[in-house]
Amino acid sequence: MSLSEHLPSDTVVYDVVVVGSCMTDLVSYTPRLPKAGETIHGHKFLIGFGGKGANQCIQAARLGAKSAMVDYVGQTDEASTGVAPITVNDEGQNAIVIVAGANLLLNSEDLEQASKVIGCAKVVVCQLEIRPAVTLTALKIAHKAGVKTIFNPAPAIADLDPEFYKETDVFCCNETEAEILTGIEVCSVASAGKAGSALLEKGCRSVIITLGAEGSVLMSLDKRTPHYIPTKKVKAVDTTGAGDSFVGALAFYMAYYPCMELEEMSRRACDIASVSVQSQGTQASYPYRAQLPQELF
Ligand code: RIB
């Protein structure tokens, strides 16, 4: 019997639940990324909704997932709103600083209050833009309830608590994050495979390392040989939040296509993220289901 069968009939159940951050993105478009100590002219500025948690939730929702965020929005004198000054160069590459602010006020008691929503989800998604201990609590609540977990360790921390790996079904990171977590430089499919093996050794069941325009590498406990999944080449204008588009799409597929191979989910999530890089903004660039080829569904 599932946990949702024990709930009062008016309790709303969500399929994809994200425990994570909301930020205001302050995006400057510049010819190139500035060097240390340098001031350069930008040619465009925009403000948009961001935060890895919110981004992933929005992408899952735009694909049709019944999604929710655990984020307790309110007013406080204790912290600023989370902000992310972002610079995007003419090649679409970005550099991001986050000041997480009020996102760091979410605490484990808040999660206890949300534990039914977390425990009744099909998929719970977490990142590292809130306090790591709170993220770990969310993963534990989900895992204990038998809910599938996706952990996106971003921004990465070198001394990540080993418990994170054990509470995670799909550990999804990019090259930089994989390198910080394993100490292995990730600059090719082969080196991604080595980093993926090191992450599996730490205790997670499946690992996806995204490689930007090159696609992704997938490994799991039962298929330890690295599987390279290439992606279509597109002209990138802004890669900000592409990884979040990927994670949100992956959560959608895990929730609604549970029998699909992880490899196929990863291929389709890459296709969706590659749409997001072709226009400016973070959430603003995320495609809706109706805008995508129907063979993705
Ligand atoms: O991954 C992109 C996101 O990182 C941005 O939206 C920014 O807010 C930071 O959280």
Side-chain angles (χ1 to χ4, degrees):
M1 187 178 281
S2 74
L3 182 52
S4 59
E5 287 170 59
H6 296 288
L7 292 176
S9 56
D10 59 345
T11 305
V12 182
V13 172
Y14 296 92
D15 296 328
V16 173
V17 172
V18 179
V19 181
S21 59
C22 294
M23 306 271 181
T24 299
D25 285 357
L26 309 168
V27 192
S28 299
Y29 293 90
T30 60
R32 59 184 173 78
L33 304 181
K35 297 178 189 151
E38 185 186 26
T39 302
I40 61 171
H41 279 277
H43 44 74
K44 184 173 175 180
F45 173 75
L46 60 81
I47 299 178
F49 295 113
K52 295 181 197 305
N55 295 345
Q56 294 168 13
C57 189
I58 290 291
Q59 181 62 90
R62 287 193 180 173
L63 299 176
K66 190 173 177 193
S67 316
M69 271 208 73
V70 176
D71 61 356
Y72 292 92
V73 175
Q75 283 194 323
T76 180
D77 293 333
E78 289 174 49
S80 65
T81 297
V83 290
I86 301 174
T87 308
V88 179
N89 70 12
D90 281 348
E91 279 73 56
Q93 298 162 322
N94 62 69
I96 304 178
V97 172
I98 60 160
V99 181
N103 289 292
L104 301 179
L105 299 181
L106 189 76
N107 60 38
S108 294
E109 289 79 58
D110 296 326
L111 289 193
E112 283 306 323
Q113 280 188 47
S115 60
K116 283 192 179 139
V117 171
I118 295 171
C120 290
K122 291 182 175 151
V123 179
V124 164
V125 190
C126 295
Q127 323 71 29
L128 285 176
E129 289 187 337
I130 59 173
R131 284 167 41 216
V134 179
T135 302
L136 186 55
T137 302
L139 289 169
K140 283 183 174 174
I141 294 171
H143 194 209
K144 194 172 167 202
V147 177
K148 291 279 178 213
T149 55
I150 302 177
F151 178 47
N152 171 222
I157 39 181
D159 58 347
L160 187 70
D161 184 330
E163 282 200 272
F164 275 95
Y165 299 98
K166 300 185 176 70
E167 303 295 339
T168 300
D169 288 302
V170 181
F171 192 96
C172 183
C173 59
N174 68 17
E175 313 95 308
T176 316
E177 290 144 9
E179 187 170 331
I180 292 169
L181 292 164
T182 64
I184 297 168
E185 188 188 1
V186 177
C187 52
S188 62
V189 171
S191 53
K194 283 189 189 143
S197 290
L199 292 169
L200 284 179
E201 289 300 319
K202 290 174 189 273
C204 40
R205 289 169 276 290
S206 298
V207 175
I208 298 173
I209 300 181
T210 56
L211 302 173
E214 302 306 320
S216 61
V217 168
L218 165 68
M219 301 171 70
S220 55
L221 278 183
D222 49 346
K223 288 186 192 163
R224 282 177 173 265
T225 310
H227 188 91
Y228 173 50
I229 306 159
T231 190
K232 297 172 192 153
K233 294 279 173 266
V234 296
K235 166 105 183 72
V237 300
D238 184 350
T239 56
T240 311
D244 301 331
S245 170
F246 180 96
V247 171
L250 182 68
F252 164 79
Y253 287 117
M254 283 175 61
Y256 294 101
Y257 298 79
C259 296
M260 187 183 279
E261 293 284 335
L262 193 52
E263 176 195 337
E264 183 58 22
M265 294 188 198
S266 198
R267 186 188 317 283
R268 293 184 191 200
C270 245
D271 283 356
I272 291 166
S274 71
V275 173
S276 80
V277 305
Q278 295 176 65
S279 56
Q280 289 183 335
T282 312
Q283 292 175 22
S285 71
Y286 291 175
Y288 289 83
R289 182 177 181 135
Q291 297 169 312
L292 291 162
Q294 285 314 294
E295 59 264 26
L296 287 175
F297 301 98

